[in-house]
Amino acid sequence: MLQPPPIVLSFAANDPSGGAGLQADILTIASMGCHPLSIITAITVQDTAGVEDVMPLDSEWVADQARAVLEDMPVHVFKIGLLGSVEIIAAIAEIISDYPHIPLVMDPILTSGRGDELANEEMIDAMRELLLPQVTILTPNSLEARHLAQQENDANEVKLDLSLCAQRLLHMGCEYVLITGTHENSAHVLNTLFSVDGVMRTDEWERLENTYHGSGCTLASAIAASLANGLSVSESVIEAQDYTWHTLQAGFRPGMGQYIPNRLFWAKEIEDTENENENENEEPIIEKPKN
């Protein structure tokens, strides 16, 4: 019998546009050679431009979905995306606590790319208190990192240093924090991985001209898949960044909003290579001379 692929379980919301959420997670995890399990936390009304509405599921339904598959299959990595409510956060935190040996990758989704609020302050407090202490690697963008790390005595007009944000998030219990720099005013995108010992690595990527729907979901899911495939945290971070950058480079714009990462970009590359090889092996056409 063939050995089954590593299994990644994702808690996230449904995205009917296929750009972000569970659809992004499933495509990414499968594209990287793992089997995705999908636990729906919420149903959204959204397109490539933004999120119009979110309907969180009952927290017991979320828990029951997860318990059913966890009792049936061996999960190698957990991945968390949009959560929907404080009750769902509490339910997931309880489930995760029963599996402390399974790494947890968390993409702390607070707003949509357009700026639609997807987590209120009560939910953010619950994330800090219940989930961050269990997180293996947190993957906020710079805006999310500053929001999650903000304290009451911080001056509102002062932009928090990202290294300080990382140290605060690590102090909340995360083992590692990868802060992405897509929202920073820099010529290139700088992504920095932190641990309690400081900066582990900083990776520089060409800044692409478009904006993308689901890039954060793609990165976090790619890290989860890489961990499930047996790579270390540092190796998973660089592998996932490389994969994500290529999905963005090959991205497409199916609607009137943002571009969508092409998580199957490699399939087109294989097809193009095969076509080139076929053309090279074709017998040249020799025309018969005319009398």
Side-chain angles (χ1 to χ4, degrees):
M1 190 170 102
L2 289 175
Q3 185 73 17
I7 296 174
V8 177
L9 185 152
S10 171
F11 294 93
N14 176 68
D15 176 6
S17 79
L22 273 178
Q23 283 80 350
D25 296 350
I26 291 168
L27 277 169
T28 300
I29 292 165
S31 179
M32 298 195 72
C34 296
H35 178 65
L37 305 182
S38 53
I39 309 303
I40 299 176
T41 58
I43 297 171
T44 68
V45 178
Q46 65 176 301
D47 55 20
T48 57
V51 179
E52 301 300 330
D53 206 353
V54 178
M55 185 180 75
L57 266 63
D58 182 275
S59 60
E60 290 188 10
W61 272 82
V62 175
D64 287 347
Q65 289 178 79
R67 294 288 187 198
V69 292
L70 281 164
E71 291 170 7
D72 182 44
M73 290 177 273
V75 170
H76 295 77
V77 179
F78 290 123
K79 185 266 176 184
I80 290 178
L82 192 150
L83 294 167
S85 72
V86 170
E87 292 77 15
I88 291 173
I89 292 171
I92 292 175
E94 183 178 349
I95 290 168
I96 298 296
S97 68
D98 291 339
Y99 301 87
H101 62 287
I102 298 179
L104 169 59
V105 180
M106 181 172 174
D107 177 18
I109 300 174
L110 308 183
T111 62
S112 71
R114 187 174 63 183
D116 311 294
E117 183 183 281
L118 300 176
N120 58 33
E121 289 304 317
E122 188 180 7
M123 290 173 60
I124 292 171
D125 286 341
M127 289 181 200
R128 293 182 182 123
E129 182 179 347
L130 301 176
L131 288 177
L132 294 196
Q134 303 188 69
V135 167
T136 304
I137 177 167
L138 189 73
T139 63
N141 61 42
S142 56
L143 303 180
E144 292 164 339
R146 291 188 173 103
H147 197 149
L148 282 169
Q150 191 170 28
Q151 298 178 353
E152 289 184 7
N153 59 351
D154 291 330
N156 290 330
E157 67 276 7
V158 177
K159 182 185 286 189
L160 291 177
D161 178 77
L162 292 177
S163 295
L164 173 62
C165 292
Q167 292 309 311
R168 287 181 178 180
L169 294 170
L170 290 162
H171 185 70
M172 293 177 195
C174 302
E175 290 185 48
Y176 302 91
V177 176
L178 174 66
I179 300 181
T180 59
T182 52
H183 291 80
E184 297 298 283
N185 185 21
S186 57
H188 290 79
V189 175
L190 298 178
N191 301 331
T192 306
L193 177 65
F194 298 87
S195 72
V196 290
D197 297 322
V199 174
M200 289 185 64
R201 64 178 306 126
T202 297
D203 298 299
E204 180 178 300
W205 298 91
E206 178 187 348
R207 185 177 290 278
L208 301 171
E209 61 180 346
N210 303 310
T211 61
Y212 298 89
H213 180 51
S215 56
C217 303
T218 305
L219 177 62
S221 293
I223 292 173
S226 297
L227 289 171
N229 280 318
L231 299 184
S232 69
V233 168
S234 183
E235 291 169 336
S236 295
V237 164
I238 187 61
E239 181 79 8
Q241 288 181 83
D242 181 73
Y243 170 83
T244 302
W245 190 87
H246 281 92
T247 69
L248 302 182
Q249 184 190 43
F252 55 96
R253 190 175 185 230
M256 296 180 288
Q258 295 177 302
Y259 280 68
I260 288 179
N262 183 357
R263 286 115 187 166
L264 299 176
F265 68 89
W266 50 266
K268 182 67 166 61
E269 292 177 356
I270 291 173
E271 181 185 348
D272 290 344
T273 301
E274 289 176 346
N275 289 338
E276 288 176 7
N277 291 337
E278 286 177 5
N279 292 335
E280 288 175 1
N281 294 329
E282 284 180 359
E283 292 288 337
I285 299 173
I286 303 175
E287 291 189 2
K288 193 174 182 180
K290 296 178 181 178
N291 293 327

